[in-house]
Amino acid sequence: MKVCWRWALLASALAGLAAAGCGGQKQEGTAKEAQGGGTPPVSKYDRGPRAFASPMDDSRAAQGEQLFQKKGCSACHAFGRKLNCPDLKGVTGRRTAEWMENQILHPEIMIKEDPISRQLFTQFALQMPNQGLTQEEARAVIEFFKKKDREPAAAR
């Protein structure tokens, strides 16, 4: 009878450890989902080659840099570090030019309709304001992003 007690205690301890292990994985998954992890969202605007893959226009990049400063984008965005909004370092390798153009031109629509934009809002809790840029100005800002992504790390 003493042997049965020990086996029952051992079996109970093992069952408890197994349950704790399974529970730990579930909590990790839940925390990961809360941080926007899991399956990445898919956008109809983010299919195809990344913006970085297309050639860069230096003159438009200079205009885009001026717009980036003039419109106050640097109050929320930076390259290589997070401020209040997503880090823009490598954005042209993560997104298509079409997605970025739509995000710049129509942030109020993107937040409602685009899964990537909604996920970013969930992470940063700050909606990007519409800066009133034209399509050509938005494209110039994207050229500036491409220029930043092509600079050596020390120049950023």
Side-chain angles (χ1 to χ4, degrees), residues 56-70 136-137 139-148 151:
M56 186 188 69
D57 182 333
D58 273 331
S59 63
R60 291 178 78 187
Q63 178 194 8
E65 182 173 8
Q66 289 175 347
L67 286 165
F68 189 83
Q69 298 303 325
K70 180 181 167 189
E136 288 305 311
E137 289 173 330
R139 290 179 177 171
V141 171
I142 294 167
E143 291 301 312
F144 170 58
F145 294 166
K146 287 163 52 176
K147 180 180 177 184
K148 292 294 286 180
E151 288 179 345

Side-chain angles (χ1 to χ4, degrees), residues 76-99:
C76 296
H77 294 283
F79 297 88
R81 61 189 171 100
K82 283 184 192 174
L83 296 178
N84 301 329
C85 297
D87 178 0
L88 293 177
K89 179 182 176 187
V91 68
T92 63
R94 293 190 304 271
R95 300 284 172 248
T96 64
E98 182 182 12
W99 187 89

Side-chain angles (χ1 to χ4, degrees), residues 8-134:
L9 187 59
L10 180 61
S12 177
L14 288 174
L17 286 173
C22 291
Q25 286 175 342
K26 188 174 183 178
Q27 286 176 345
E28 183 177 289
T30 302
K32 192 175 182 181
E33 287 171 13
Q35 294 172 354
T39 306
V42 178
S43 169
K44 65 181 178 182
Y45 302 115
D46 202 43
R47 296 184 179 136
R50 307 291 95 180
F52 189 82
S54 63
M56 186 188 69
D57 182 333
D58 273 331
S59 63
R60 291 178 78 187
Q63 178 194 8
E65 182 173 8
Q66 289 175 347
L67 286 165
F68 189 83
Q69 298 303 325
K70 180 181 167 189
K71 294 290 183 176
C73 305
S74 58
C76 296
H77 294 283
F79 297 88
R81 61 189 171 100
K82 283 184 192 174
L83 296 178
N84 301 329
C85 297
D87 178 0
L88 293 177
K89 179 182 176 187
V91 68
T92 63
R94 293 190 304 271
R95 300 284 172 248
T96 64
E98 182 182 12
W99 187 89
M100 289 187 285
E101 186 178 315
N102 277 288
Q103 181 65 26
I104 293 168
L105 293 175
H106 315 289
E108 66 284 355
I109 295 171
M110 291 289 278
I111 193 76
K112 294 176 186 169
E113 298 178 0
D114 186 76
I116 295 170
S117 187
R118 280 197 307 266
Q119 182 190 38
L120 291 171
F121 179 71
T122 301
Q123 285 179 286
F124 295 94
L126 188 61
Q127 182 179 343
M128 185 171 143
N130 188 330
Q131 298 291 349
L133 271 65
T134 66

